[in-house]
Amino acid sequence: MAEVLWYSSKSDSAGYISKTTLWTDTLNGPNGLWYQIGGIAKAPSTALFFRVRLTAGILNNDVAGTVWFDDVQLNAPRFNKQIVFSDLTVATNIWFTPSTTYQAKVICVGAGGKGGDGEGTGANQCGGGGGAGGTGISYVTVAPSSTHSVVVSATLDSTFDATTVVGKAGSAGAISVAGVAAGGAGGTANTGNVTVVGEAGQNGGGTTDTGHGGNSSAGAGGTCVVSASQAGQKYGGGGAGSRRIGVGAALAGMAGAQGAVIIYYN
């Protein structure tokens, strides 16, 4: 077991405020093998100091054994392989873990919201920018040679094993009506050890180039440019609202960028 104990002072006489369990295993690990384990520990608001506690034991039998902890580092675990799931033609992707993989870093980025349509009459106000997709990040313990479901979408949430890690989609920007066009909200209620709310789209409704799409952790929002607004950039950027010059049909807002699931592993 690996834990981080959080303290409000150097003295531990009052005990720790709380603890974060980075990794635990109630069964024996691979006998005679080394494998890398990591985790994310987020300090509580009142914590000023911390202590790392490592606990070793053989729990499923009464035979004496030895457990080693080596190369303990307070930084991100090192992974040397990466796979990106971004294929929108597959409803549910499957990740097959290699036979030597025990942990992975999973990043889920939700899709960006569409920009709002710009008005075709009056002062040609622009639509609101689409909100960016949110991000969920977790270090996930996996079994070797196991399967995990991965879902990505052009407009919806991105998920790993349904609810284990989730990046929520951003909301669409509003269509401009009489000079009012709210930007879409960024993806919230993300699931993971660390979560990032997608940036909200900029309010439109003006006669200048407002209504830019929100930025995600993995992609920029589209820029509102008269008659040439941009779609959100991958992954998860919000689409820009549109604005036209002259009287005509309302100009459609730009699409948000699709979501993705990125997995790092050894």
Side-chain angles (χ1 to χ4, degrees), residues 11-36:
S11 172
D12 60 2
S13 59
Y16 55 79
I17 302 169
S18 63
K19 66 178 180 180
T20 302
T21 301
L22 299 177
W23 171 78
T24 183
D25 187 359
T26 58
L27 300 176
N28 286 335
N31 187 28
L33 300 177
W34 294 96
Y35 65 108
Q36 179 177 288

Side-chain angles (χ1 to χ4, degrees), residues 4-231:
V4 177
L5 310 182
W6 303 104
Y7 298 87
S8 59
S9 66
K10 289 183 178 180
S11 172
D12 60 2
S13 59
Y16 55 79
I17 302 169
S18 63
K19 66 178 180 180
T20 302
T21 301
L22 299 177
W23 171 78
T24 183
D25 187 359
T26 58
L27 300 176
N28 286 335
N31 187 28
L33 300 177
W34 294 96
Y35 65 108
Q36 179 177 288
I37 291 295
I40 298 175
K42 186 176 181 179
S45 59
T46 55
L48 299 176
F49 303 90
F50 69 89
R51 175 178 293 168
V52 177
R53 181 166 67 185
L54 303 175
T55 306
I58 307 291
L59 300 181
N60 63 353
N61 59 57
D62 58 1
V63 178
T66 304
V67 178
W68 288 272
F69 293 99
D70 193 19
D71 195 22
V72 177
Q73 299 184 24
L74 300 179
N75 53 29
R78 298 182 297 272
F79 296 103
N80 55 30
K81 298 178 182 177
Q82 172 187 318
I83 183 169
V84 178
F85 288 93
S86 58
D87 186 353
L88 300 179
T89 65
V90 180
T92 301
N93 297 273
I94 300 296
W95 180 49
F96 296 90
T97 64
S99 60
T100 56
T101 297
Y102 293 88
Q103 190 183 50
K105 179 182 179 181
V106 178
I107 302 175
C108 292
V109 183
K114 175 183 176 294
D117 298 353
E119 292 184 71
T121 59
N124 304 117
Q125 288 93 343
C126 66
T135 303
I137 306 171
S138 280
Y139 286 88
V140 179
T141 299
V142 297
S145 303
S146 58
T147 60
H148 302 270
S149 63
V150 176
V151 175
V152 296
S153 170
T155 58
L156 303 175
D157 304 341
S158 296
T159 65
F160 177 86
D161 279 350
T163 58
T164 300
V165 189
V166 179
K168 302 292 284 187
S171 300
I175 297 172
S176 182
V177 177
V180 178
T188 60
N190 307 290
T191 303
N193 299 133
V194 172
T195 59
V196 181
V197 174
E199 183 182 39
Q202 186 180 28
N203 292 337
T207 56
T208 57
D209 293 334
T210 56
H212 305 306
N215 299 317
S216 78
S217 65
T223 301
C224 178
V225 179
V226 62
S227 300
S229 289
Q230 301 170 345

